[in-house]
């Protein structure tokens, strides 16, 4: 299993008056068996990046592949979410 992120961009409220670029040209590969940590200030894009790994959010630009599956492929959404889980900070959001 691997996660491959290629030139990922994400913009919240794209085209609106409060448009915010959260991710800008992020590329990353996580190989099977690797452990990574994401650190940064509030608002730096950590959660936005994580939500792309299990297709909660879809890219404004670039690609995210989970085990070779493009996260924009709606027919494979369950396969992606079986592979990449997410634990939310607030249990009420589970």
């Amino acid at each position: 299993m691997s996660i491959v992120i290629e030139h990922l961009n994400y913009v919240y409220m794209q085209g609106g008056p409060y448009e915010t670029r959260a991710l800008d040209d992020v590329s990353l590969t996580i190989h099977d068996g690797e452990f990574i940590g994401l650190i940064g200030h509030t608002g730096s894009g950590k959660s936005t990046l994580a939500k792309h790994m299990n297709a909660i959010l879809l890219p404004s630009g670039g690609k995210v592949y989970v085990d070779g599956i493009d996260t924009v492929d709606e027919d494979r959404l369950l396969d992606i979410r079986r592979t990449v889980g997410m634990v939310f900070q607030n249990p009420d959001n589970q």
Side-chain angles (χ1 to χ4, degrees):
M1 197 279 296
S2 66
I3 298 172
V4 178
I5 299 169
E6 299 175 340
H7 306 287
L8 177 61
N9 296 290
Y10 188 74
V11 179
Y12 284 100
M13 297 180 273
Q14 192 164 6
Y18 301 106
E19 180 176 299
T20 303
R21 179 170 296 277
L23 300 173
D24 188 15
D25 197 30
V26 176
S27 294
L28 169 71
T29 300
I30 304 170
H31 299 282
D32 189 28
E34 282 187 313
F35 289 86
I36 67 159
L38 295 174
I39 60 172
H41 293 285
T42 300
S44 64
K46 303 176 301 293
S47 295
T48 299
L49 179 61
K51 288 177 182 179
H52 277 83
M53 293 181 197
N54 64 2
I56 290 174
L57 294 176
L58 299 177
S60 298
K63 290 288 184 178
V64 179
Y65 300 96
V66 174
D67 214 12
I69 304 167
D70 191 335
T71 57
V72 299
D73 184 351
E74 290 183 19
D75 294 333
R76 303 293 305 274
L77 186 59
L78 289 178
D79 295 323
I80 292 167
R81 292 193 178 156
R82 282 186 189 117
T83 304
V84 178
M86 187 167 193
V87 177
F88 294 93
Q89 183 174 350
N90 183 344
D92 294 335
N93 293 336
Q94 295 297 330

